[in-house]
Amino acid sequence: MGKRTVKHLAVMFAVIMISLMGTYVGLAIYYHNAFTYGTWINGVYCTGKSIREVNEELVKDFTYEGLTIYDRDGNVYVIPAEDISYRFDFAKALEVYQKQQNAWMWIDSILHGHMAELTPVVSYDPEKFEACFAALPFCQEKTPDEQRKVEIVKTSQGYELINERTQVLNLEEARAAILAAVEESKPEVSLLDAGCYHDLELTEQMQETLALWGQLDAFLQCGIVYQMGEEQIPIDASVISDWIALDETGGFRLDEYGQFQIREDAIKEFIEQLAAEYDTVGGSRQFRATSGELVTVEGGVYGNQIDQKTEVAYLTEAFQARRQEIHKPAYLQEAWKQGKEDIGSTYIEVDMGEQKMYYYVNGVLKIDTPIVTGNISRRMGTPSGVNYVYLKQKNRVLRGRDYASPVDFWMPVKGNIGIHDAAWRNQFGGEIYQTNGSHGCINTPREAMEQLYDMAEVGTPVVMFY
């Protein structure tokens, strides 16, 4: 290779190096007042852009509507940004970040890039912030620590412990947590998570009250549940609280071992109240007739009647033993269904006003027939009420003072009043009962009576009304 060629190559190499150095220096100067290559801030591409340009984009994309505050109980409060003249700007944060970049090392950005998340510099009106904080409900309702008490009170739900000395909000700490959240542009803050709640010291009397509550709470626990048809009646704190014996001052009366006592006759009173609510024999019922009318039916012999003596003995022993069980009460008389709605969906309906009888099985009408009931002109009208079939007989002679009537099917429902066929009649329904009715029984066509006799069981409710 000749000297000329070598010289030519050397010149070319020098020119290239000078060009590269010039380009490098030029870009370094260019990036001196702009963000270097590969810079991303808060998701915005910033390469070659000035602080002012990037700040405008960040401000445009940033929103802050205010702070949502959650207290210990989950209550929510809001301080709107506009109420405290909230302002924000990224210029200072961008300036600090740009100074950390070395424009002469821009080539390093090609290999690694720069990604950053910056928070704005926040400003607000301190007086407006203090006014908003002071208006928060927990600031308005603040009870002085020395007035916070520990006591046992009775409510409609039973005895409860009121302890105002646990998890008490420290207002200074709450203010600091809320202010910090605003300055950091956080959308929400939990005062519980921020550690703003603390327990206060207890006096000796308060400690004694807590110990008494622990004993009382255990006494109020009971797992007995009365099954009243489809409804359940738990023997819970609201019930037991009314059983507890009190002294003349209203304080708890404890025995020689320091145990709670129940009032004399308290359990008896509870069973009496239970019976008053759920005994249905002879009571008043609302009944939806086949005609669609809602009728009131009073009296009769059908229904439930709790065996109160047996239940007082059971509940006294079961409560003392702290049993955990669902209990069906003992009954002196038991209907097909228990509870307040004891008729169910299988029953005989005797509409004496319409002189019609219906028989339903599981809510489905099986028999629809005219009838003749008691002669009202002779004061023998069939009585209203909810009764039941208590016997079934065939080939019976019905006897009275002035009659002896043989029937094929006999289903008494209340005393000597029953449902039976009446071969001596060739017409049923209409107004026959008003002047030529029965002695009180429900006269039924033989074909319908035979069907009813075969289908209806002893115990079937019979709803009778005018």
Side-chain angles (χ1 to χ4, degrees), residues 389-398 407-421 441-442 449 453:
V389 176
Y390 66 85
L391 182 68
K392 292 172 64 175
Q393 284 184 335
K394 290 184 178 181
N395 303 318
R396 170 77 181 267
V397 177
L398 306 180
V407 298
D408 293 335
F409 306 100
W410 168 241
M411 294 169 57
V413 299
K414 181 182 181 183
N416 293 325
I417 295 174
I419 309 170
H420 61 79
D421 55 298
C441 287
I442 301 159
M449 188 64 216
Y453 188 92

Side-chain angles (χ1 to χ4, degrees), residues 227-295:
Q227 187 71 53
M228 308 303 296
E230 297 178 358
E231 187 176 358
Q232 291 189 334
I233 308 297
I235 308 300
D236 56 18
S238 65
V239 174
I240 301 171
S241 292
D242 290 333
W243 296 357
I244 296 177
L246 304 177
D247 59 26
E248 297 77 8
T249 65
F252 299 115
R253 192 169 69 209
L254 306 179
D255 62 18
E256 57 183 318
Y257 303 104
Q259 301 299 314
F260 290 92
Q261 297 178 285
I262 61 174
R263 291 185 296 104
E264 185 179 0
D265 293 335
I267 291 180
K268 180 174 178 289
E269 292 171 5
F270 171 79
I271 295 299
E272 288 174 348
Q273 293 172 0
L274 194 68
E277 185 173 0
Y278 288 95
D279 279 1
T280 56
V281 177
S284 178
R285 297 173 175 85
Q286 295 295 304
F287 177 77
R288 181 67 65 182
T290 300
S291 64
E293 183 181 0
L294 184 64
V295 297

Side-chain angles (χ1 to χ4, degrees), residues 398-405 439:
L398 306 180
R399 299 182 185 277
R401 185 176 60 182
D402 56 354
Y403 67 91
S405 304
H439 291 84

Side-chain angles (χ1 to χ4, degrees), residues 327-394:
H327 173 70
K328 177 184 175 181
Y331 290 92
L332 294 173
Q333 178 178 319
E334 189 170 0
W336 272 16
K337 285 189 64 179
Q338 284 66 58
K340 298 175 183 177
E341 304 295 331
D342 60 351
I343 294 176
S345 58
T346 297
Y347 56 87
I348 298 169
E349 175 186 343
V350 181
D351 187 336
M352 294 177 288
E354 296 293 329
Q355 289 293 285
K356 294 291 292 290
M357 182 171 69
Y358 309 94
Y359 177 54
Y360 287 88
V361 177
N362 296 324
V364 178
L365 180 62
K366 297 293 185 180
I367 296 175
D368 177 347
T369 180
I371 54 173
V372 176
T373 59
N375 191 330
I376 60 174
S377 67
R378 297 179 60 187
R379 297 183 179 180
M380 294 180 179
T382 305
S384 298
V386 179
N387 302 297
Y388 66 98
V389 176
Y390 66 85
L391 182 68
K392 292 172 64 175
Q393 284 184 335
K394 290 184 178 181

Side-chain angles (χ1 to χ4, degrees), residues 55-116:
N55 185 53
E56 289 177 355
E57 291 193 46
L58 293 180
V59 168
K60 180 180 65 177
D61 294 339
F62 184 82
T63 58
Y64 186 71
E65 297 179 354
L67 180 66
T68 300
I69 304 162
Y70 298 91
D71 69 8
R72 179 195 62 185
D73 300 319
N75 297 313
V76 180
Y77 315 100
V78 177
I79 296 180
E82 60 268 20
D83 286 4
I84 59 174
S85 298
Y86 175 93
R87 298 289 183 271
F88 59 90
D89 191 85
F90 288 87
K92 290 184 178 180
L94 290 171
E95 183 179 346
V96 172
Y97 183 73
Q98 189 187 55
K99 288 181 178 180
Q100 295 174 353
Q101 292 187 329
N102 188 343
W104 294 101
M105 296 299 294
W106 63 265
I107 196 169
D108 182 62
S109 300
I110 298 176
L111 302 175
H112 301 98
H114 298 283
M115 301 186 70

Side-chain angles (χ1 to χ4, degrees), residues 48 54 85 118 125 143 153 308 322 330 370 375 410 421:
V54 174
S85 298
L118 301 182
D125 188 318
T143 302
V153 299
Q308 296 187 34
R322 287 298 191 270
N375 191 330
W410 168 241
D421 55 298

